[in-house]
Each structure stands twice: as structure tokens, then as C-alpha cells.
Amino acid sequence: MGVKVVKFGGSSLADANQFKKVAAIIKSDDKRRYVVPSAPGKRFSEDIKVTDMLYKCAEQAGSGIDFSETFGMIKDRYNGIISELGIDMSLDDEFDSIESELKSRPAKDFAASRGEYLNGKVLASYLGFEFVDAADVIIFDTKGMLLLEETVKAVREKLSGLPNAVIPGFYGRTTEGYVKTFSRGGSDVTGSIIANAVKAEIYENWTDVSGFLVTDPRIVEDPDVISLITYRELRELSYMGATVLHEEAIFPVRSAGIPINIKNTNKPEDKGTMIVSDDYDFSTEASYTITGIAGRKGFSTINIEKAMMNSETGFGMKVLKALSDNGISFEHMPSGIDTMSITVDSAKLEPVREKVLAQIRRDVNPDHLEIEDGIALLAIVGRRMKNTRGTVARIFAALAHARINVKMIDQGSSELNVIIGVSEHDLNEAIRRIYDMFINSEKQ
Ligand code: ADP
Ligand code: ASP
Ligand code: MG
């Protein structure tokens, strides 16, 4: 019998009622044998995620501030779920040991990981499944890089012979024995690794929306669901801010040819989004010209002007060296005869800003050099764009109509995406206009 690995996000496990939905989903299919939970998320929009409260505890503990009030709120969340579900268990010993660990060594990753750890304990008990501590199977090197081979081996050893298990998401341990987390949203990555290790027939990622949507539902009201998307398209969209799936969650399943199905815990009957291999045969599927739109704020562009720079050997290399010498990678670098504009992450640039400018001035002696902050990047992604003429013209028309100034444009060599730079304050409107141009108008 095939195996399905199922990951449930924070909102899917935010309270006892959500736990009941999750249990019903798992119990309705015997193949759903391995379950990866997140920590309890928000129950309503102003609520605080358990993970955020845990980060706060670590911060308070690190500064010698009493964190018992914050920790008390966390205990209440779990105790509320346990009592409402009527499970015969207590987390009191766990709470005590976490509290004393945080007092003696307030490590951020350890603190944050306890959200998933405790939720895993509760869910395992509720389902009657074995609890497998992710610290025993998800292994990082001392620099914090995942050791995939060791991890897969450990997962297989641990899970072989277990008909069912709950493995908390988001964390593992380093070879030195310290708890280490993935970056935020990392339970998706754990699920993907487990799916790879057990050779799952499918990785189901259960969340609070009915699949991957054409764009962020907080920007466009009720956007269309993308029923089929390739790994490559998804990666482009995730990287650019479509946060529904952690971008690092793609590699482990993609390499093993395992499809991902994004599903809605609150509407399990909806088909959701199926993420399929890049060579999937779409010939019988109807789809829009574009697959999705995503945007991210927090970029700066370094604009350089120098007459005839394109004929100066080594110009670009010297500019890029100024970045790499200061530990900065770049996102995009369109250039003209006399101009070059490099888009970088503002937060990474900030501490070395003056050093980078000084080095560029020294090494290439530009006529003009400036940094523009407050840039947002917008990705318009779609496998069909390659064979459809006029896509870029339509994007420009949509933005021009709204008087949105395009600061940068870059079309990837794969022609899978077009990246546009706009002012941060224009981002949401730009997304709405492009959505109208490609989705609403093609629908009619
Ligand atoms: P989980 O807690 O289940 O991991 P996340 O909050 O990480 O869920 O991801 C789901 C959320 O991602 C949705 O509630 C939605 O607000 C947001 N989101 C942003 N872009 C998209 C998109 N293109 N499609 C679907 N959801 C998106
Ligand atoms: N709980 C973690 C976070 O809030 C990980 C996750 O939800 O995937 O980022
Ligand atoms: Mg998530």
C-alpha cells in the first residue's frame, strides 16, 4: 500500500476544533500514516502564533527578563487544546523542563522548536500514533546545513516498522547535538524530507486556503485557485513571496518525483493544487497565459552610470566584486550602454552600504552612483508565456494605465518569468492590475 505524508500548518492546528478536523482527515485514509504538525498558529487575525511567543520567551530570557507571563500564555494554549479534546495527558513536566532550559541557556532555535515539539506530543496522543522526536532524525551539520543523506537514513530506520507516526515539523539537531530550526515556515520542509525518506506516493500539505492561488488573497479578493503548477513555477512564486509553501520544501520531493498536493483543512473536499513535474503534459488542460503573480518588498537598487561602460572590459566584474567582497548577493542586474542597475536585499546591504559605495567609486570611477531604497519586486510567472506573444506589452499596459512607474524589468532566460521592480507603495496595486489584465479579462 502506498504511503501519504501529511503536513498540517499552524492555522490547521490552532485550537481543539481544528485538531478534530485534522484527525478526521487523517483517519479517513489509511495511507495517511506519517503526520508532520506545525505549532498552533493564529485562531483569529490579531492572535499570536505560539512560535512568536516562544521567540519572545527566548529574547526575554536572554535579557534576564522574567518570561513567565509569556510562557504562561503558551501553556494555556496547549492546556486548552488538551482539555477541550478530553485527552488524558499532561505536559507539565515538559513545560518545567523547557522553562528551566531557557533559564540556563536561552537558545532561540531551541525555544522556537518547542512549539512543534509540544504540538506533536498532543497530536500523537490524540491520534494514538507514535511520537518521533524530529531531533532524532532531522540532522544538520555544525554550520546549520541539512545533511539530507544522514537524515533520510535516520528517518527510514526510525519509521520502518512504525505503522503510524507524528514527527514535529520545523526543527532537527546539529551533529553536535543542539536543536536547530529551519527558517520560518519550515515545517513544510520537514514534511518534504519525510515524504522523500519514506518514498511517499504523495506529499499532502494542508493549510487554510484551497490551494495555491494565482496571487496573495490578502491583496486580491478571492483569487482563482491554480489547479496544476510545475515545481519550477512554484519555486519562482515561493521565492518571490507566495508564502504558502516554504521554497526549500520543493527540492526533496522534486528529486524523488513525488507530487505535492496543497489542500484546505477547512474544506477537505476541495481538490486544491497539485504540484507536478516540469515535463508534465498540459496539452489537455485549459489555463491562463500566466500561472501566478507574487511580490516582495525590501529591495534596493544600486544605479550606476558611466559613459560607454559596456565597452570597458571588466566593468561588471569589478562592480560585482564590490558586492561579493562585502558578502552581498544580487537578485537582478539589467544593464544598458551607459547604465547598470543592481537589485539587492536592503537588509543585507544596510550594514555595508558605505563600504560598497566606496569600493565601486574607487574601482570603476562612475559618472553617477546612487542607491534607491523602497523597491518591491514582482514576479509574473507562467510556463505558457514562452509561446505567447505580447505578454510583456500587456504587463506594461496594465501598469501604465494605473500610472505605476516601472523601475526595472528582467526576463529570465527560461522565459518562465518576468520580474518587475516598482516602488513598495505601488506593489499591491500593481498585482491587482496584472491580475485583472491576465485573469479577469481572459475569463470572459
Ligand atoms: P500554514 O500555517 O498552513 O503553513 P501559511 O500561512 O504558511 O500556512 O500559508 C498559507 C497562507 O499563505 C494563506 O493563508 C495566504 O494568506 C498566504 N498566501 C500568500 N500567497 C498565496 C498564494 N499565492 N496562494 C495561497 N496562499 C497564499
Ligand atoms: N511554526 C513555525 C513558524 O511559525 C514553522 C511553521 O509554521 O512551518 O514559522
Ligand atoms: Mg506555512
Side-chain angles (χ1 to χ4, degrees), residues 115-285:
E116 271 67 13
Y117 172 84
L118 294 169
N119 226 23
K121 289 257 163 176
V122 178
L123 186 61
S125 166
Y126 186 49
L127 294 170
F129 285 11
E130 192 91 16
F131 173 81
V132 170
D133 190 348
D136 294 338
V137 291
I138 307 283
I139 304 160
F140 296 92
D141 69 13
T142 50
K143 292 203 181 82
M145 293 294 286
L146 177 78
L147 295 168
L148 187 61
E149 245 176 73
E150 282 87 335
T151 296
V152 164
K153 190 165 166 267
V155 171
R156 282 187 186 151
E157 267 167 24
K158 197 85 187 179
L159 294 186
S160 73
L162 285 184
N164 307 96
V166 172
I167 310 104
F170 193 38
Y171 72 94
R173 70 161 162 85
T174 65
T175 46
E176 284 173 325
Y178 294 112
V179 168
K180 161 98 194 109
T181 67
F182 292 105
S183 55
R184 295 302 302 264
S187 298
D188 291 334
V189 187
T190 310
S192 181
I193 293 167
I194 304 288
N196 172 308
V198 302
K199 300 195 170 90
E201 65 175 38
I202 194 160
Y203 169 30
E204 290 180 345
N205 190 292
W206 292 82
T207 183
D208 61 349
V209 279
S210 288
F212 211 96
L213 308 171
V214 172
T215 195
D216 191 330
R218 292 162 294 191
I219 299 174
V220 170
E221 205 187 318
D222 200 17
D224 270 38
V225 175
I226 304 170
S227 50
L228 278 167
I229 187 171
T230 65
Y231 286 119
R232 281 174 63 194
E233 290 174 313
L234 180 89
R235 187 165 145 65
E236 299 284 347
L237 288 169
S238 316
Y239 181 71
M240 286 303 288
T243 53
V244 64
L245 190 77
H246 194 295
E247 51 154 342
E248 288 164 32
I250 295 168
F251 291 114
V253 281
R254 181 185 189 171
S255 64
I258 301 167
I260 309 177
N261 192 189
I262 313 258
K263 298 270 288 174
N264 189 345
T265 301
N266 306 314
K267 289 185 184 168
E269 63 288 353
D270 285 358
K271 281 204 164 104
T273 299
M274 196 64 108
I275 304 161
V276 295
S277 74
D278 300 314
D279 50 19
Y280 185 88
D281 178 10
F282 284 95
S283 55
T284 58
E285 313 280 343

Side-chain angles (χ1 to χ4, degrees), residues 6-179:
V6 287
K7 177 259 170 179
F8 290 89
S11 47
S12 300
L13 291 163
D15 60 24
N17 196 32
Q18 291 300 103
F19 265 72
K20 288 179 189 164
K21 292 182 195 170
V22 165
I25 290 166
I26 295 167
K27 299 283 169 156
S28 70
D29 185 345
D30 289 347
K31 288 184 176 178
R32 295 187 175 128
R33 291 173 50 196
Y34 301 120
V35 183
V36 176
S38 287
K42 293 184 180 192
R43 294 159 293 184
F44 42 87
S45 64
E46 295 78 36
D47 200 13
I48 308 174
K49 291 180 174 185
V50 164
T51 310
D52 289 315
M53 294 196 272
L54 285 161
Y55 278 123
K56 191 170 171 196
C57 286
E59 222 179 277
Q60 290 176 323
S63 325
I65 300 171
D66 177 19
F67 61 92
S68 53
E69 195 185 327
T70 319
F71 200 67
M73 283 158 66
I74 296 168
K75 288 186 198 172
D76 288 347
R77 290 286 302 262
Y78 290 105
N79 286 336
I81 294 171
I82 292 169
S83 74
E84 256 189 77
L85 292 177
I87 321 172
D88 182 20
M89 77 179 295
S90 162
L91 290 175
D92 287 349
D93 290 346
E94 302 282 0
F95 291 147
D96 288 347
S97 80
I98 295 168
E99 230 173 335
S100 65
E101 172 78 20
L102 284 181
K103 276 181 189 147
S104 62
R105 216 182 66 89
K108 203 172 139 206
D109 281 22
F110 169 77
S113 74
R114 297 304 88 183
E116 271 67 13
Y117 172 84
L118 294 169
N119 226 23
K121 289 257 163 176
V122 178
L123 186 61
S125 166
Y126 186 49
L127 294 170
F129 285 11
E130 192 91 16
F131 173 81
V132 170
D133 190 348
D136 294 338
V137 291
I138 307 283
I139 304 160
F140 296 92
D141 69 13
T142 50
K143 292 203 181 82
M145 293 294 286
L146 177 78
L147 295 168
L148 187 61
E149 245 176 73
E150 282 87 335
T151 296
V152 164
K153 190 165 166 267
V155 171
R156 282 187 186 151
E157 267 167 24
K158 197 85 187 179
L159 294 186
S160 73
L162 285 184
N164 307 96
V166 172
I167 310 104
F170 193 38
Y171 72 94
R173 70 161 162 85
T174 65
T175 46
E176 284 173 325
Y178 294 112
V179 168

